[in-house]
Amino acid sequence: MPDVFARMQFNRRRVLASLIGSGPLAALSIGGAAAVGGSDTAPKVAQSSAGYRPAPREGQACAGCYAFVAPDHCKFLAGEISPSGWCRLWKAKPD
Ligand code: SF4
């Protein structure tokens, strides 16, 4: 019986890891773990939780992300961001 429980625990970790690695579910997961208050909208996540950095990555930048709110905010992250920044939630704006 201990092997069954060990396997169940291992499978649970794999499922959680795969869910966290996917786009929208990653946002939900991060929000549940580190949501911070926003005064004007729904709670947003801390920049560090999404791996935000003030520089682009591999040609991707906040200005080209669907969550970018000009001039310096994000639909998901708390605080000001740079249009040249990037985080793990990046997704291209629709054409
Ligand atoms: S990449 Fe997108 S989701 Fe991430 S901080 Fe920039 S605008 Fe927000």
Side-chain angles (χ1 to χ4, degrees), residues 47 50 52-53 60-69 73-77 81-91:
Q47 294 180 2
Y52 173 79
R53 61 188 214 179
Q60 300 174 347
C62 293
C65 175
Y66 80 110
F68 182 65
V69 180
H73 282 81
C74 171
K75 292 179 183 176
F76 305 125
L77 302 191
I81 61 164
S82 167
S84 301
W86 178 91
C87 85
R88 290 191 302 264
L89 304 176
W90 188 93
K91 182 178 175 184

Side-chain angles (χ1 to χ4, degrees), residues 3-56:
D3 283 349
V4 172
F5 290 120
R7 266 186 265 143
M8 287 172 61
Q9 184 72 14
F10 177 74
N11 288 337
R12 185 169 174 256
R13 283 189 195 140
R14 286 186 61 181
V15 169
L16 287 173
S18 65
L19 289 176
I20 289 171
S22 65
L25 289 174
L28 291 174
S29 172
I30 291 168
V36 295
S39 60
D40 56 341
T41 61
K44 295 183 177 183
V45 299
Q47 294 180 2
S48 59
S49 295
Y52 173 79
R53 61 188 214 179

